[in-house]
């Protein structure tokens, strides 16, 4: 795959001010737009695309490790200096970072679309719509009502105080854009710079499947509010399932929205140059992940089986003291005194899998699509009932295990205290699917089973697990004694940044009031959430 490295640096010089991103927020980084080096009107939409793709992957890779994994208890900090899991460091600096990060990507995608219109590039128009929705959905899923209909217009009409659209309307606008993109993809437009596309190599059929799989994700996100949307969600879900010709979605792992890396800067995984110690020494396997990934016999305390993904995500600590060679986890959200109770042989992140320059990043995969369909069938939002749901569910587990098995087999950077672990076999996957950990027939509470398994498969996928916990209530996390900064409650959203409120006070205040919130804090519930919708688990 030949990549045009020069284009990333070109876009770095124009990506912020050229977009007019003050339509969403007003605090993005100022950059140099020396006209002797770059003329904004001459930037190709393909230049915007390459930057969006790789920055989008690397930003999510970092945020998953540093923030999201701690928030949702994939990992648990064993240092009082890292206070993400206690929610202490979920402060305005963090809110501003996440808001700016995803709005920036959304703004650049919007600008890519406008350039594509001028360039008459239908392929870039479709891709821009897909990427815009992917990024802006993270903003609304994280914060609530956001500017959308009037976002990114500062460069066009000078509007730096856009209205905040109600979350329901935001999703309806995103659905419209995904529909528009799907129609463009259907005409098989030519993507001229295939060497720039490190995900699909310019294959518009695969981009179309990603677009419509993303459509499923968003429909699933608001599925608790189907009645409030006059049955739109269930009708559209069924339409997509019934008409794969018009709405093709992922059909195997070969379709996964995975950004591939060559291993050379700037086309290298974010952690390619990290030492194993810096990657693993603070964020350890949590007790929640031990509970989810390992079957423990209640009478003997012995660990009788495990999810094969456990040894891809984490590395078992077999240092002295762990005589039974068991998985141990750290307490999430722990107080200093609780941290003293953590055993020294906690599982650690499997650095050989993730600290590799060629380790890919996946925005969305086939396993997620199948798990969405399983849940929707259980809820009766699509036809098929329990029989179809079981088929979707088990296919999801196979796909997820196979995806991570492939990554484990390709990991070569085993060094120091890390010795190569056994590859995952098909027999092992089938044994896992029939075990009490995952068996459809063994577990009577299907929604809980699906919620817990979706949590596991979303590992390393930005803040997706955080949004899903709001929507489903699963998994039922244990909140640590060190979380007093948020009243010992799991966050239900993130607060609007003070800069966003300060530069657009009237519309921000109106949004807070419109959502029925008393304050702008992490304890108010969003429209799509389980609590706000009044839905049952």
């Amino acid at each position: 795959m030949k990549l045009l490295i020069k284009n990333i640096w070109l876009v770095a010089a124009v990506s912020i001010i050229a977009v007019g991103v003050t339509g969403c927020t007003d605090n993005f980084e100022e950059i140099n737009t020396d006209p002797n080096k770059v003329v904004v009107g001459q930037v190709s939409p393909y230049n915007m695309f390459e930057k969006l793709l790789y920055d989008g992957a690397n930003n999510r890779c970092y945020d998953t490790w540093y923030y999201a994994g701690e928030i949702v208890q994939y990992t648990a900090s064993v240092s009082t200096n890292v206070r993400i899991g206690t929610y202490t460091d979920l402060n305005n600096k963090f809110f501003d970072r996440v808001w700016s990060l995803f709005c920036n990507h959304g703004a650049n995608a919007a600008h890519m679309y406008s350039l594509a219109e001028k360039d008459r590039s239908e392929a870039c128009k479709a891709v821009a719509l897909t990427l815009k929705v992917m990024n802006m959905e993270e903003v609304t899923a994280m914060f609530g009502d956001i500017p959308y209909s009037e976002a990114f217009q500062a460069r066009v009409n000078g509007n730096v105080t856009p209205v905040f659209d109600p979350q329901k309307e935001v999703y309806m606008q995103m659905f419209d854009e995904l529909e528009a993109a799907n129609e463009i993809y259907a005409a098989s437009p030519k993507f001229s710079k295939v060497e720039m596309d490190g995900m699909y190599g310019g294959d518009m059929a695969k981009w179309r499947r990603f677009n419509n799989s993303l459509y499923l994700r968003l429909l699933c996100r608001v599925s608790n509010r189907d009645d409030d949307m006059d049955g739109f969600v269930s009708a559209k879900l069924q339409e997509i399932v019934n008409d794969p010709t018009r709405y093709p979605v992922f059909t195997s792992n070969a379709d996964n929205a995975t950004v591939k890396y060559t291993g050379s800067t700037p086309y290298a995984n974010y952690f390619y140059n990290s030492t194993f110690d810096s990657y693993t020494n603070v964020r350890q396997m949590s007790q929640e992940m031990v509970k989810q990934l390992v079957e423990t016999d209640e009478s003997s305390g012995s660990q009788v089986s495990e999810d094969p993904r456990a040894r891809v995500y984490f590395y078992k600590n077999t240092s002295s003291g762990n005589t039974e060679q068991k998985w141990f986890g750290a307490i999430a959200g722990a107080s200093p005194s609780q941290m003293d109770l953590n055993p020294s042989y906690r599982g650690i992140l499997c650095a050989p899998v993730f600290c590799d320059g060629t380790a890919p990043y996946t925005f969305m995969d086939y396993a997620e699509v199948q798990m969405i369909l399983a849940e929707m069938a259980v809820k009766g939002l699509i036809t098929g009932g329990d029989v179809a749901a079981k088929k979707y569910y088990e296919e999801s587990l196979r796909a997820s295990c196979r995806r991570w098995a492939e990554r484990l087999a390709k990991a070569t950077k085993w060094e120091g205290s890390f010795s190569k672990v056994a590859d995952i076999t098909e027999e092992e996957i089938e044994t896992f699917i029939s075990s009490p950990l995952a068996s459809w027939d063994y577990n009577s509470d299907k929604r809980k089973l699906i919620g817990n398994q979706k949590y596991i498969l979303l590992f390393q996928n930005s803040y997706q697990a955080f949004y899903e916990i709001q929507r489903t209530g699963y998994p039922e996390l244990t909140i640590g004694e060190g979380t007093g900064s948020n009243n010992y409650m799991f966050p239900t959203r993130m607060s609007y940044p003070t800069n966003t409120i300060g530069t657009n006070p009237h519309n921000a205040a109106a949004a807070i009031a419109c959502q029925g919130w008393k304050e702008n804090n992490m304890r108010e519930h969003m429209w799509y959430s389980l609590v706000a919708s009044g839905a049952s688990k």
Side-chain angles (χ1 to χ4, degrees):
M1 177 175 61
K2 180 183 178 184
L3 295 168
L4 302 184
I5 294 177
K6 64 181 181 181
N7 292 312
I8 273 188
W9 308 122
L10 174 63
V11 178
V14 301
S15 63
I16 308 302
I17 287 179
V19 183
V21 295
T22 48
C24 184
T25 188
D26 204 28
N27 66 326
F28 291 124
E29 178 185 0
E30 295 291 332
I31 45 76
N32 180 5
T33 53
D34 181 352
N36 293 320
K37 296 180 180 179
V38 175
V39 177
V40 171
Q42 294 178 356
V43 175
S44 161
Y46 290 100
N47 301 135
M48 304 296 296
F49 162 74
E50 193 175 36
K51 178 75 172 170
L52 269 167
L53 191 68
Y54 286 95
D55 273 8
N58 273 331
N59 290 152
R60 284 171 170 81
C61 189
Y62 173 80
D63 271 41
T64 301
W65 171 78
Y66 193 84
Y67 296 109
E70 290 283 301
I71 295 170
V72 302
Q73 299 185 16
Y74 288 141
T75 57
S77 171
V78 293
S79 168
T80 55
N81 294 323
V82 178
R83 303 177 299 172
I84 307 299
T86 64
Y87 319 138
T88 309
D89 287 347
L90 299 184
N91 51 30
N92 188 65
K93 181 179 179 181
F94 168 72
F95 306 146
D96 186 66
R97 170 190 167 76
V98 179
W99 178 277
S100 299
L101 178 69
F102 291 119
C103 278
N104 187 10
H105 292 323
N108 282 336
H111 188 47
M112 177 181 168
Y113 183 88
S114 66
L115 291 171
E117 282 192 310
K118 295 177 182 178
D119 206 41
R120 297 183 180 179
S121 172
E122 291 297 295
C124 282
K125 282 173 61 177
V127 169
L129 288 171
T130 302
L131 293 178
K132 178 191 173 187
V133 170
M134 180 184 74
N135 284 291
M136 293 306 293
E137 200 267 337
E138 298 242 25
V139 185
T140 191
M142 181 76 80
F143 294 96
D145 294 358
I146 61 169
Y148 203 85
S149 60
E150 294 184 3
F152 317 131
Q153 294 183 5
R155 185 176 60 85
V156 178
N157 59 24
N159 182 7
V160 296
T161 56
V163 297
F164 282 57
D165 297 326
Q167 197 165 60
K168 174 183 174 181
E169 294 180 13
V170 172
Y171 276 95
M172 292 306 293
Q173 290 174 78
M174 290 191 289
F175 295 151
D176 285 344
E177 290 181 329
L178 292 175
E179 290 277 5
N182 181 50
E183 292 303 312
I184 298 172
Y185 289 126
S188 302
K190 183 179 179 181
F191 192 92
S192 301
K193 305 287 186 181
V194 297
E195 65 274 23
M196 287 186 173
D197 185 359
M199 190 158 77
Y200 289 133
D203 187 332
M204 291 292 98
K206 289 194 172 184
W207 272 101
R208 189 182 185 193
R209 293 189 194 110
F210 174 37
N211 181 83
N212 294 325
S213 298
L214 186 63
Y215 204 165
L216 287 178
R217 174 190 280 177
L218 270 61
L219 289 165
C220 179
R221 188 88 75 220
V222 300
S223 58
N224 288 340
R225 305 306 301 242
D226 189 37
D227 289 345
D228 190 40
M229 301 177 79
D230 299 321
F232 172 83
V233 174
S234 53
K236 182 55 67 173
L237 283 165
Q238 192 64 61
E239 184 180 2
I240 291 173
V241 171
N242 288 346
D243 196 350
T245 300
R246 183 178 178 187
Y247 292 105
V249 298
F250 293 159
T251 58
S252 73
N253 279 336
D255 294 332
N256 291 349
T258 297
V259 178
K260 306 170 187 69
Y261 295 96
T262 65
S264 300
T265 304
Y267 304 105
N269 179 282
Y270 181 90
F271 292 106
Y272 81 103
N273 205 25
S274 299
T275 64
F276 282 7
D277 284 347
S278 67
Y279 185 75
T280 63
N281 67 1
V282 173
R283 291 163 183 81
Q284 313 277 279
M285 185 181 194
S286 70
Q287 288 185 349
E288 180 63 36
M289 285 302 273
V290 174
K291 181 171 70 174
Q292 294 292 339
L293 295 169
V294 180
E295 179 192 355
T296 302
D297 183 273
E298 292 184 6
S299 59
S300 66
S302 59
Q303 296 178 346
V304 296
S305 69
E306 67 185 52
D307 186 322
R309 292 168 293 186
R311 66 178 182 271
V312 191
Y313 296 171
F314 300 101
Y315 192 84
K316 187 183 290 184
N317 191 332
T318 57
S319 60
S320 66
N322 190 4
T323 55
E324 297 180 57
Q325 306 292 287
K326 295 169 66 175
W327 287 101
F328 287 92
I331 300 170
S335 63
S337 60
Q338 278 187 313
M339 284 188 180
D340 292 338
L341 302 176
N342 285 327
S344 60
Y345 27 84
R346 304 168 296 272
I348 55 178
L349 283 163
C350 193
V353 170
F354 300 108
C355 294
D356 187 297
T358 61
Y361 184 84
T362 299
F363 294 124
M364 189 176 184
D365 65 7
Y366 171 57
E368 183 182 345
V369 167
Q370 292 296 294
M371 197 64 78
I372 288 169
L373 296 177
E375 181 189 346
M376 297 302 103
V378 163
K379 288 183 174 180
L381 294 179
I382 60 173
T383 57
D386 191 77
V387 173
K390 179 181 180 179
K391 183 179 180 181
Y392 290 133
Y393 168 81
E394 291 184 347
E395 179 64 9
S396 173
L397 294 189
R398 290 187 183 94
S400 181
C401 289
R402 287 167 181 163
R403 172 195 159 196
W404 288 106
E406 180 182 3
R407 182 62 215 148
L408 179 64
K410 290 182 177 179
T412 59
K413 200 176 177 181
W414 300 88
E415 59 185 41
S417 59
F418 291 89
S419 57
K420 182 73 170 70
V421 297
D423 288 339
I424 296 171
T425 65
E426 282 294 308
E427 181 181 9
E428 186 180 4
I429 294 172
E430 294 305 316
T431 298
F432 161 63
I433 291 174
S434 63
S435 74
L437 277 172
S439 169
W440 182 265
D441 296 326
Y442 179 86
N443 291 274
S444 59
D445 190 337
K446 307 306 185 191
R447 295 191 186 190
K448 181 177 181 179
L449 178 65
I450 289 170
N452 288 348
Q453 286 298 326
K454 192 171 185 183
Y455 168 79
I456 295 169
L457 71 83
L458 288 173
F459 186 81
Q460 286 287 310
N461 196 331
S462 188
Y463 297 91
Q464 291 301 316
F466 176 74
Y467 313 143
E468 285 297 282
I469 291 170
Q470 310 306 325
R471 187 183 66 82
T472 68
Y474 296 118
E476 297 168 328
L477 302 174
T478 300
I479 307 304
E481 294 177 3
T483 58
S485 63
N486 198 45
N487 295 357
Y488 305 99
M489 292 173 57
F490 185 72
T492 52
R493 63 178 288 268
M494 296 302 157
S495 304
Y496 294 129
T498 55
N499 189 73
T500 298
I501 293 176
T503 56
N504 195 0
H506 174 75
N507 288 320
I512 293 170
C514 182
Q515 292 168 97
W517 297 342
K518 294 179 180 178
E519 297 181 53
N520 175 39
N521 60 31
M522 295 191 293
R523 297 181 294 279
E524 301 286 0
H525 294 280
M526 289 181 288
W527 172 80
Y528 72 83
S529 71
L530 182 73
V531 173
S533 67
S536 58
K537 286 187 176 180

